[in-house]
């Protein structure tokens, strides 16, 4: 375990306390029987029938788990279902007039939109009919490059209805990132948006989509454009571009039978960052993923149909997929969507929304909580937040100080907090307390969920002693797991399994999933996640590959070499630090720095913007020529460098140190 993680760990655990869930919560919780842990262990994998039972199946499955070909596990084999029917049709009789989505736009003078289940069902049907008419067939991948507008979940569910997997690209990603993802998925259809509002201004999105389209190597047959900005932006339309509103109007009243999908048929692809520069296309399936998101929504988020549940994530990330769209709608509840930022027009916007809608759960990220804490408790204090019953966090480790602030100032010490560890690849939550059963320990995510076999191991794969830092692994498959990386089974094995598995074996016991996070476990089985151990940064809860950023920087004219590392950042958790060597004849000046920042924004998006660009004549390298990233991280964090004797060029580190300190 890298030593800096140990130091950080000590700081986080110094004052670890336990908090029991409030009795008022426990007495009404969906899951409150502690025996669930034991029964799930005893009845594994059949325990997961409980998750499948939350769904309606057209054809019941033959087998819960087929593990005959690890790590290509299959769940609920032979079963058939449709995700959109599970999220919509089956709720119509009882909940047709209840709100499915409460959408809040950023401008405060605009009317918010409510979609009842009936209305959402109607619009999903109409758009599904339009997609069909366009020629979208089963298994054709539809790319959705959209901000937080209601048409995004509508499009997702419309795709699911006709069996076309969606691939959502976060609207904050750049044109290049869109092109890369459409190329990788061979996607011929794009649904996008003219723009959206950010901090009071219209932000044009369509031009960026067009630029991305120009980089798509195959023919794109159709582009659908949602008009969000109206007169605020006269967006360009291309030859094969159609307005979303025209399409649904044409299909007014249309009904599309939900296609019966095999449990193992792909529901969606989601591209995420990994160790190499090329994003990974994580494949999720219909039966396993939907069961997992529904079961965890019920057991961990404690969602009930009458709730108004608020997750402040963006649907462009996995959290929004599982816990704004699929999980909550599968359970027939009301899910909220907020278009804007939490500090517009004032820093109490989120609390205003919670109060107005009487939100019952709030699920957000540590980076947001740290910002709320910095802004001060006077903002939440202006509002009645007593409707809240449960609070959650996801995306990165939460420090006990932020945890306690959240507990006190948002939850009034009467809401349990769930600190949920999971990944794009896991489909849903894996390690967190069951809020109606377990005590909470600030800074520690908690025990693995029932039926999840997480272990902390050393480099050899042996379980470490409680208290010792090691690597987080998952020793048994679970229904929500990714099935492979799109079109790349080999990389799937390399990235997630090769480290701790006997890859020649067909015995599932020899296969271990490695999420590439460091962690430690306490005597009581609580897991504290320490962060990534690969070259992936976690900036404000967003996963960014250092390789992706480095290749963007090297692509800038005049740059010879670059190394990117994460430095500690009070708000973002981690921030991007770029160390750059320029080519002869190019200045190490503001102009160069601006071009580098621009290069990163163009290749990935503003979220990857370097916090600091440090010009250096050389990068610290080992004798075998490997860049010593650990040293660069220490420099970024202003930490003591320790032993530099293994370096080929130790003098360069001192030079870089001086530059960082001067900046
Ligand atoms: C859901 C999501 C996954 C990575 C993961 C880990 C970090 C997520 C965490 C956490 C500590 C938590 N992470 N939740 N670390 N405590 N509660 O964030 O997916 O974007 O794929 O990121 O985020 O490092 O490996 P994704």
């Amino acid at each position: 375990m890298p030593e800096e993680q140990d130091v950080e760990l000590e700081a986080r655990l110094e004052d670890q306390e336990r908090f029991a869930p409030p009795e008022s919560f426990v007495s009404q919780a969906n899951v409150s029987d502690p025996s669930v842990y034991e029964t799930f262990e005893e009845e594994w994998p059949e325990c997961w029938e409980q998750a499948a039972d939350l769904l309606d199946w057209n054809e019941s499955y033959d087998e819960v788990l087929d593990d005959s070909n690890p790590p290509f596990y299959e769940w609920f084999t032979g079963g058939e279902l449709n995700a959109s029917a599970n999220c919509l049709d089956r709720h119509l009789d009882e909940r047709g007039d209840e709100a499915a989505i409460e959408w809040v736009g950023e401008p405060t003078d605009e009317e918010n939109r409510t979609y009842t289940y009936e209305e959402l069902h109607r619009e999903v049907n109409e758009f599904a009919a339009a997609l069909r008419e366009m020629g979208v067939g089963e298994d054709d991948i539809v790319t959705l490059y959209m901000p937080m507008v209601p048409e995004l979940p509508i499009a997702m569910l419309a795709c699911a209805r006709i069996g076309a997997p969606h691939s959502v690209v976060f609207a904050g990603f750049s044109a290049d990132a869109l092109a890369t993802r459409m190329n990788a998925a061979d996607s011929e259809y794009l649904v996008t948006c003219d723009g959206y509002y950010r901090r009071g201004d219209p932000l044009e999105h369509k031009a960026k989509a067009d630029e991305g389209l120009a980089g798509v190597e195959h023919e794109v047959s159709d582009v659908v454009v949602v008009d969000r900005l109206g007169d605020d932006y006269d967006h360009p339309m291309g030859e094969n571009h159609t307005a979303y509103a025209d399409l649904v109007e044409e299909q007014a009243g249309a009904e599309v039978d939900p296609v019966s999908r095999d449990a193992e048929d792909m529901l969606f692809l989601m591209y995420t960052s990994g160790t190499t520069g090329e994003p990974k296309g994580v494949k999720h399936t219909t039966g396993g993923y939907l069961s997992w998101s529904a079961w965890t929504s019920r057991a961990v988020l404690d969602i009930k149909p009458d709730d108004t549940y608020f997750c402040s994530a963006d649907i462009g990330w996995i959290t929004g997929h599982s816990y704004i769209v699929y999980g909550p709608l599968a359970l027939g509840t009301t899910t909220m969507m907020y278009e804007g930022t939490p500090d517009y027009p004032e820093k109490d916007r989120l609390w205003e929304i919670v109060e107005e809608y009487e939100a019952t759960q709030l699920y957000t990220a540590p980076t947001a909580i740290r910002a709320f804490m910095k802004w001060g408790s006077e903002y939440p204090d202006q509002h009645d937040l007593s409707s809240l019953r449960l609070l959650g966090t996801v995306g990165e480790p939460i420090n006990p100080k932020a945890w306690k602030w959240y507990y006190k100032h948002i939850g009034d010490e009467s809401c349990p907090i769930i600190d949920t560890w999971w990944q794009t690849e896991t489909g849903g939550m894996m390690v967190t307390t069951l809020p109606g059963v377990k005590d909470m320990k600030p800074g520690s995510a908690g025990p693995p969920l029932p039926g999840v076999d997480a272990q902390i191991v050393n480099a050899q794969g042996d379980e470490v002693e409680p208290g010792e830092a090691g690597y987080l692994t998952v020793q048994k498959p679970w229904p929500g797991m990714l099935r492979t990386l799109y079109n790349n089974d080999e990389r799937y094995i390399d990235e997630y399994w090769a480290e701790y598995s006997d890859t020649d074996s067909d015995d599932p016991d020899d296969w271990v999933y490695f999420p590439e996070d460091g962690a430690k476990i306490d005597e009581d089985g609580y897991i504290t996640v320490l962060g990534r151990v690969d070259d992936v940064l976690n900036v404000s809860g967003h996963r960014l590959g250092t390789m992706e950023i480095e290749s963007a920087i090297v692509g800038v004219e005049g740059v010879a070499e670059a190394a990117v590392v994460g430095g500690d950042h009070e708000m973002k958790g981690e921030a991007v630090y770029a160390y750059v060597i320029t080519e002869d004849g190019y200045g190490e000046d503001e102009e160069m720095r601006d071009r580098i920042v621009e290069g990163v924004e163009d290749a990935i998006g503003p979220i990857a913007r370097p916090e600091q660009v440090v010009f250096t004549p050389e990068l610290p390298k080992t004798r075998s020529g490997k860049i010593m990233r650990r040293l660069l991280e220490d420099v970024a964090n202003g930490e003591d460098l320790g032993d530099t004797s293994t370096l080929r060029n130790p003098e360069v580190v001192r030079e870089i140190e001086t530059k960082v300190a001067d900046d």
Side-chain angles (χ1 to χ4, degrees), residues 253-315:
E255 293 215 0
V256 173
D257 278 343
V259 170
S260 199
R261 296 282 279 172
D262 190 280
E264 281 296 312
D265 279 343
M266 174 161 41
L267 178 61
F268 67 86
L269 270 183
M270 165 130 264
Y271 282 87
T272 186
S273 296
T275 320
T276 73
E278 205 189 321
K280 308 188 275 197
V282 170
K283 175 183 161 180
H284 280 295
T285 57
T286 312
Y289 170 84
L290 200 62
S291 307
W292 196 254
S293 50
W295 190 84
T296 48
S297 292
R298 186 178 175 280
V300 184
L301 293 167
D302 199 49
I303 288 178
K304 303 176 170 71
D306 288 337
D307 283 338
T308 300
Y309 156 85
F310 185 12
C311 167
S312 72
D314 191 293
I315 294 177

Side-chain angles (χ1 to χ4, degrees), residues 123 151 224-227 242-251:
E123 191 146 335
E151 290 81 0
V224 179
V225 187
V226 172
D227 187 348
T242 323
Y244 172 91
D246 292 347
L247 287 172
V248 290
E249 197 183 301
E250 246 165 59
Q251 299 293 341

Side-chain angles (χ1 to χ4, degrees), residues 415-435:
C415 301
I417 294 183
I418 44 158
D419 173 358
T420 59
W421 177 87
W422 58 291
Q423 311 180 289
T424 303
E425 291 86 343
T426 68
M429 300 161 180
M430 299 289 281
V431 177
T432 180
T433 49
L434 280 176

Side-chain angles (χ1 to χ4, degrees), residues 58-119:
N58 307 332
E59 195 70 58
S60 48
Y61 49 87
D62 308 317
E63 219 182 345
V64 173
L65 168 66
D66 175 355
D67 58 4
S68 58
N69 182 27
F72 300 96
Y73 298 98
E74 297 189 350
W75 288 87
F76 311 122
T77 53
E80 285 183 24
L81 75 167
N82 180 282
S84 108
N86 270 284
C87 290
L88 300 169
D89 305 48
R90 66 173 177 150
H91 306 312
L92 292 180
D93 278 350
E94 276 183 33
R95 306 194 47 79
D97 296 332
E98 304 289 333
I101 295 178
E102 292 282 13
W103 177 83
V104 179
E106 196 193 72
T108 42
D109 55 0
E110 181 187 36
E111 214 170 305
N112 296 332
R113 283 193 246 170
T114 301
Y115 289 82
T116 64
Y117 273 94
E118 190 77 57
E119 289 161 344

